[in-house]
Amino acid sequence: MGTELLRSTAAELGAAIRAGETTSVAATEAYLDRVTEVDGEVRAFLHVDRETALEQARAVDARLAAGEDLGPLAGVPIAHKDVFTTTDMPTTAGSKILQDWRPPYDATVTARLRAAGLVILGKTNMDEFAMGSSTENSAYGASRNPWDLSRVPGGSSGGSSAAVAAYEAPLATGTDTGGSIRQPAAVCGLVGAKPTYGGSSRYGVIAFASSLDTPGPFARNVLDTALLHEAFSGHDPHDSTSVDAAVPPVVDAARRADVEGLRVGVVKELDAEGYQPGVLQRFHEAVELLEGLGAKVVEVSCPSFDTALAAYYLIAPSECSSNLARFDAMRYGLRVGDDGTRSAEEVMSLTRAEGFGPEVKRRIMLGTYALSSGYYDAYYGSAQQVRTLIKRDFDAAFGGVDVLVSPTTPTTAFSVGERASDPMAMYLADLCTIPTNLAGNAALSVPCGLAPEDGLPVGLQIMAPVLADDRTYRVGAAVEAALNSQRGSELLSGTAFAVH
């Protein structure tokens, strides 16, 4: 029975719980047992509280028994990225400076998960303050890719992607600042979505770059991803950047799975030399597949995309240098050297030296420099102008096509330690995903096969205009259905951690 529960999609599991064929407690126990079995190798979770999770499950079962309508995911377990505040478990953002910190309030995403009846199994590992592409920047050690434990699961939301790929949870949350949902989804063979900026609430998300951070979902298929997207999205008066608009019809689009007559643009600048050959091969096959399904495919040029990486690595560090100033050892979190002989400034300096990791310090220094007097216009100001050009390129492209497509990442999962000492090589993992974050529109990564040279997953990125998130799900579901029909099984059955 436990294996059947683990193999079920989130939609199937939710339906079975509502129909009384199983219970949330049974599903939660099955996943908790799975975490106990494999997480010593995968290292997806930073915190798991078995009794708290089972308490949540019992409460959901009681609510359902009383006739309460909690929605399609009621009773389904979920892994929660450790960047969302939670009152009943620690929130560390993968940083030593917040070790064991228990927030006094729930993030809006957390509150909406609870309201929808999802059961939070625990908090997942991440690059410290969401800065990284591999989880190697976590103060608590790197997570591992279930496809190959010597490789990274992507980042910054790598703990969440590893948990879902290893069948430790059917669903997970993440945040996407420069690709931190889509890139881990791609390298772990999952579906991951970056909603339109402001479409999901940032309230209670520990901030990295406030104009870029976007909560989003992970799952093993497109429909489950859409159901989770719908469950926690929507306007939030607590978030000043929240969009006051209806959630796009992502679930209906995932069920439609039809691209007949849809105009698809292949981004010339994101289909270039230097990418891993197997990634390009699978991407081109996916484009041909879309054409075969009735889509009209054209090449589109977005010349400013070539400058997106440089602009991002001025804008994001600048915002992080401002946001992380709040970690001053005075109000909450780690405090070092407070023995009565040191000044507040000395305690603050000692605390930040010990509490922040190398990558966080690097980005704080970059950002502080870019914002400093005499350099603001040359660096931060110029990067914001490039951001405007990127938005204009998207607007021009979407004037002629319905969606844009590209590889999600230039390579498959790289080895743990391979890029740890080369920040530029690490930053290039987000080459294809960053333009969407700078523009604020919607994007989704869906698996499109395995690279022939290493047998690792490749992701297809689908980009759509602001508040047209449903288009990404419509295209993603069509690709997923066609590939599953061709291969006769889920892509994830290839991982060593698949449940058979």
Side-chain angles (χ1 to χ4, degrees):
M1 182 62 178
T3 299
E4 288 178 20
L5 292 173
L6 298 180
R7 288 293 299 172
S8 299
T9 67
E12 291 166 347
L13 187 54
I17 291 169
R18 290 196 310 280
E21 295 167 8
T22 188
T23 64
S24 179
V25 168
T28 302
E29 285 181 332
Y31 275 103
L32 288 168
D33 289 346
R34 177 68 174 174
V35 171
T36 301
E37 178 189 351
V38 304
D39 203 58
E41 294 178 90
V42 179
R43 305 174 196 169
F45 284 92
L46 293 179
H47 178 85
V48 176
D49 186 334
R50 187 180 187 92
E51 194 44 51
T52 298
L54 289 172
E55 253 178 55
Q56 294 175 61
R58 285 190 285 269
V60 171
D61 285 336
R63 290 167 72 188
L64 290 171
E68 198 172 336
D69 183 9
L70 298 177
L73 296 178
V76 177
I78 186 168
H80 204 22
K81 186 177 181 179
D82 199 29
V83 76
F84 295 95
T85 56
T86 45
T87 56
D88 55 355
M89 56 188 83
T91 302
T92 71
S95 179
K96 187 177 179 182
I97 209 164
L98 284 175
Q99 190 167 5
D100 299 324
W101 179 60
R102 290 204 175 231
Y105 68 99
D106 275 339
T108 294
V109 168
T110 305
R112 288 179 176 173
L113 294 177
R114 298 193 201 278
L118 284 116
V119 175
I120 299 172
L121 296 171
K123 306 295 284 293
T124 56
N125 195 20
M126 57 181 284
D127 287 292
E128 185 179 8
F129 288 106
M131 299 180 200
S133 303
S134 65
T135 74
E136 291 171 288
N137 294 331
S138 171
Y140 307 102
S143 299
R144 302 297 173 130
N145 192 319
W147 285 83
D148 179 346
L149 294 174
S150 70
R151 297 184 185 249
V152 302
S156 65
S157 309
S160 289
S161 61
V164 177
Y167 289 81
E168 296 180 67
L171 302 167
T173 58
T175 53
D176 195 308
T177 305
S180 289
I181 291 173
R182 289 162 290 157
Q183 183 255 3
V187 301
C188 285
L190 305 175
V191 181
K194 186 206 91 66
T196 293
Y197 177 79
S200 53
S201 174
R202 291 188 301 108
Y203 181 73
V205 175
I206 297 175
F208 164 18
S210 301
S211 74
L212 300 163
D213 297 342
T214 308
F218 286 98
R220 288 192 287 269
N221 64 70
V222 174
L223 177 58
D224 286 356
T225 310
L227 288 166
L228 182 55
H229 181 144
E230 187 176 74
F232 65 63
S233 297
H235 180 245
D236 177 18
H238 292 110
D239 177 3
S240 62
T241 58
S242 178
V243 176
D244 191 1
V247 178
V250 293
V251 174
D252 289 344
R255 290 191 168 120
R256 182 177 176 185
D258 168 39
V259 295
E260 182 70 40
L262 207 69
R263 299 168 301 168
V264 176
V266 176
V267 182
K268 176 184 173 184
E269 288 73 15
L270 300 180
D271 180 15
E273 291 181 12
Y275 287 41
Q276 184 175 322
V279 168
L280 287 179
Q281 180 183 332
R282 294 303 182 221
F283 168 65
H284 293 147
E285 289 170 358
V287 171
E288 290 173 9
L289 180 66
L290 286 169
E291 207 162 15
L293 293 172
K296 298 175 182 176
V297 177
V298 296
E299 186 177 75
V300 172
S301 180
C302 297
S304 61
F305 283 18
D306 287 338
T307 57
L309 192 72
Y312 175 87
Y313 278 102
L314 284 167
I315 293 169
S318 296
E319 294 186 14
C320 109
S321 76
S322 174
N323 279 324
L324 269 60
R326 71 193 65 181
F327 300 104
D328 56 7
M330 299 297 118
R331 288 166 285 191
Y332 51 83
L334 183 70
R335 182 179 295 175
V336 177
D338 186 16
D339 59 4
T341 68
R342 293 183 173 90
S343 67
E345 186 178 353
E346 288 173 316
V347 171
M348 189 186 305
S349 179
L350 288 168
T351 299
R352 288 173 171 170
E354 186 170 326
F356 288 143
E359 181 62 25
V360 172
K361 291 174 183 174
R362 179 184 293 116
R363 297 200 196 192
I364 289 172
M365 288 189 287
L366 278 170
T368 303
Y369 182 80
L371 293 175
S372 60
S373 177
Y375 296 100
Y376 181 96
D377 289 336
Y379 294 110
Y380 184 74
S382 296
Q384 291 289 16
Q385 290 173 338
V386 169
R387 188 177 195 171
T388 300
L389 294 176
I390 290 167
K391 288 180 180 178
R392 288 177 181 170
D393 274 359
F394 268 118
D395 290 343
F398 289 131
V401 299
D402 299 302
V403 297
L404 296 171
V405 295
S406 77
T408 307
T409 59
T411 69
T412 55
F414 49 90
S415 297
V416 174
E418 181 182 327
R419 303 184 186 181
S421 59
D422 187 349
M424 276 306 299
M426 187 74 78
Y427 297 164
L428 287 169
D430 296 328
L431 186 67
C432 304
T433 52
I434 279 172
T436 302
N437 294 90
L438 291 172
N441 47 292
L444 177 140
S445 179
V446 65
C448 63
L450 305 178
E453 59 265 55
D454 55 23
L456 294 172
V458 176
L460 168 70
Q461 179 179 219
I462 305 150
M463 297 163 274
V466 167
L467 293 176
D469 305 48
D470 51 302
R471 296 185 196 175
T472 68
Y473 284 93
R474 180 181 166 190
V475 176
V479 170
E480 176 183 78
L483 289 176
N484 283 344
S485 173
Q486 285 179 6
R487 295 173 185 146
S489 64
E490 291 179 272
L491 176 63
L492 266 172
S493 63
T495 171
F497 284 83
V499 178
H500 297 291

